[in-house]
Each structure stands twice: as C-alpha cells, then as structure tokens.
Amino acid sequence: MKNFLLALFLLAAVLTLSLVNAHYVRAEISAMQSLLSASDGGKAVYDRLCEDEFLLSLSSNHLLIEQAMQCAIDLSCLEKTPGSTAEAEAARSKLRLALSEIESGEKCNFSGLF
C-alpha cells in the first residue's frame, strides 16, 4: 500500500508541475506577443527571451527558442533602420509565428505530459 501511495503522489507531482510549467510558458509567450506592438518590440522580446531562456528550454524545443531569438534580433535591427517598414513587418510576422509555435507545444494533453 505504501508503494501505491508513493506512486500516486509522484504522479500527482508530475501532473501538477507539468501544468504549472505549461501555464508559465504560455503566459510568457503571451506577454512577448503583446510586446511586439511597441516601436522597439524586437529588442524587448529578445531581452525577455534571454531572461527566460533557461526556464523555457526546460520544456520547449531549443531550436524553436533559438529561431525566435534570431527573429527578434532581425526585427530589432530592422526597427532601427529607417525606411525598412515592409521588411520589419515581415520579420515581426515571422517572430509571431515562432512564438506561436513555442506556445502550441505547451498544450495540456496526455501525450505532452509523458
């Protein structure tokens, strides 16, 4: 009976931590997407990604995080360059897509937990 209770406790701990992590990642990505509407959104998103890189990389695909960071750097450079509005909008949409791919990987389903 002790082994069953221990296994049940560990399962509950894994489920709880997985749900907390998914909520954290989705909240951070949502905050980053709202930062994109600012005039220097690329720099703000890059700074936020650098701050949260360790926690995001625990559960998200590292290549997606690197892709989002590269898109944020590109957007930051294009926002500083005058007359590159079309390129900046393309980079902004590419960054939104990368962030949404990270967010979509954090859906709470059975296969995502195990």
Side-chain angles (χ1 to χ4, degrees), residues 20-87:
V20 167
N21 181 56
H23 175 70
Y24 172 77
V25 170
R26 292 176 69 93
E28 285 299 310
I29 296 299
S30 176
M32 287 180 212
Q33 287 176 340
S34 67
L35 288 173
L36 283 176
S37 60
S39 62
D40 61 341
K43 174 84 168 107
V45 170
Y46 178 73
D47 291 341
R48 189 93 180 234
L49 278 170
C50 287
E51 289 174 14
D52 298 333
E53 183 180 12
F54 176 72
L55 292 175
L56 290 175
S57 66
L58 290 176
S59 64
S60 300
N61 187 345
H62 188 67
L63 293 176
L64 288 175
I65 295 171
E66 284 183 3
Q67 180 184 11
M69 290 178 90
Q70 184 61 45
C71 291
I73 290 171
D74 293 344
L75 178 60
S76 177
C77 292
L78 288 170
E79 286 173 339
K80 293 177 185 176
T81 306
S84 62
T85 308
E87 292 92 358

